[in-house]
Amino acid sequence: GNSVTQMEGPVTLSEEAFLTINCTYTATGYPSLFWYVQYPGEGLQLLLKATKADDKGSNKGFEATYRKETTSFHLEKGSVQVSDSAVYFCALSDPYSGGSNYKLTFGKGTLLTVNP
Amino acid sequence: SQTIHQWPATLVQPVGSPLSLECTVEGTSNPNLYWYRQAAGRGLQLLFYSVGIGQISSEVPQNLSASRPQDRQFILSSKKLLLSDSGFYLCAWSVSGGAETQYFGPGTRLLVL
C-alpha cells in the first residue's frame, strides 16, 4: 500500500536558520502531495500542496517540490521564525471508492522548535 | 466560506463510560467526512470516512463507531471507553467527487481514566 516516511524529529533551530524536513513516499499511480502544519493544541492546517511532478507548492515562505524521480516532497524555508514552531505532517492522497474519492495517508509528523 | 466545528474541545471520561463526539460542517453540501485519531507522539490514524448520509466505512477494527445522521454532521461514538481510546480526535471534510484536499476541525482531546 501507499506510505509516507518523514525524517524523525524533533528538529530544533535558531531563529533565521534554514529549514529542511525530508519526506519520501511510496505510491502506485500519481498521488497529490501535501504538507500540513499543527500548532500546539490545534487541528491541522493545510500548508501547501502539489498535484503533479515538478510542481512547487509554496505558502508563508515554505516551499516543497514534487520530485517523482526521487519520490520526495521535502519541505524547506529559508529563514524560520519562532512562530513556525509546530508539528509538520507530510501526506499523500490515496484514492478509494472506485477512484472518485480520496483519503490521506500521513507521515508520523516532525516536531519543529524554533528558539529566539 | 466553509467552517468545521467539533465539540467538546476537551473531555475526561472514566473507563467503561459511553462517548459521543460531534462534528459539523457549514458552507458546503454533501462533503466527504473523516474521523482521525492522533495518539500522543504518533501520527494520524484514519478511523472512519463517509461519502454520504448513512454511509460509513471503517478503516481499523476498534471499540468505536461512527454515524452520519445528516449531510453535514458526523458523530463518533463508543458504548464503553477503554484506556487506549485516549487521544486527540480530529474531524475533516473534503469536497466530494474527486477533490483531494482535506480541511480539519480544531479537534477534541479525550482522556480516559
Side-chain angles (χ1 to χ4, degrees):
Chain A
N2 295 353
S3 65
V4 175
T5 302
Q6 285 181 241
M7 64 184 288
E8 292 194 16
V11 175
T12 302
L13 297 173
S14 297
E15 207 164 24
E16 299 185 1
F18 183 85
L19 168 70
T20 299
I21 300 178
N22 290 337
C23 171
T24 57
Y25 66 91
T26 302
T28 54
Y30 303 98
S32 292
L33 301 174
F34 304 81
W35 278 100
Y36 281 83
V37 58
Q38 183 180 32
Y39 297 103
E42 299 183 8
L44 274 69
Q45 300 176 27
L46 177 65
L47 182 58
L48 54 85
K49 69 177 185 179
T51 58
K52 61 182 187 296
D54 299 325
D55 265 3
K56 177 185 285 188
S58 60
N59 185 27
K60 299 181 181 179
F62 291 90
E63 58 182 35
T65 301
Y66 190 142
R67 301 287 189 197
K68 184 170 177 288
E69 64 277 11
T70 55
T71 61
S72 65
F73 193 54
H74 304 322
L75 182 68
E76 297 181 335
K77 186 175 185 181
S79 176
V80 293
Q81 306 300 312
V82 172
S83 57
D84 294 327
S85 298
V87 179
Y88 292 82
F89 291 92
C90 185
L92 61 79
S93 61
D94 226 337
Y96 64 89
S97 297
S100 59
N101 288 292
Y102 296 87
K103 55 184 177 180
L104 293 177
T105 296
F106 285 89
K108 293 186 176 180
T110 302
L111 173 62
L112 170 66
T113 301
V114 181
N115 295 318
Chain B
S1 65
Q2 299 86 9
T3 55
I4 178 169
H5 304 280
Q6 287 186 245
W7 64 88
T10 305
L11 191 60
V12 180
Q13 291 284 95
V15 169
S17 64
L19 173 74
S20 181
L21 303 181
E22 189 163 344
C23 169
T24 59
V25 181
E26 296 177 356
T28 187
S29 296
N30 193 33
N32 290 345
L33 296 171
Y34 310 83
W35 277 113
Y36 291 85
R37 176 168 59 202
Q38 185 179 25
R42 300 174 64 180
L44 279 79
Q45 180 184 37
L46 179 63
L47 301 176
F48 301 95
Y49 62 89
S50 171
V51 299
I53 296 174
Q55 300 179 60
I56 308 294
S57 296
S58 175
E59 282 291 289
V60 293
Q62 61 208 306
N63 183 40
L64 302 168
S65 62
S67 62
R68 184 170 177 175
Q70 300 180 44
D71 181 44
R72 290 169 290 176
Q73 184 185 30
F74 205 24
I75 297 172
L76 184 70
S77 303
S78 174
K79 293 182 179 178
K80 289 186 177 181
L81 284 169
L82 306 173
L83 287 174
S84 57
D85 292 324
S86 294
F88 193 46
Y89 289 83
L90 290 159
C91 181
W93 74 274
S94 68
V95 175
S96 65
E100 299 166 283
T101 302
Q102 293 181 19
Y103 303 93
F104 285 79
T108 294
R109 190 163 303 281
L110 172 66
L111 179 60
V112 182
L113 300 175

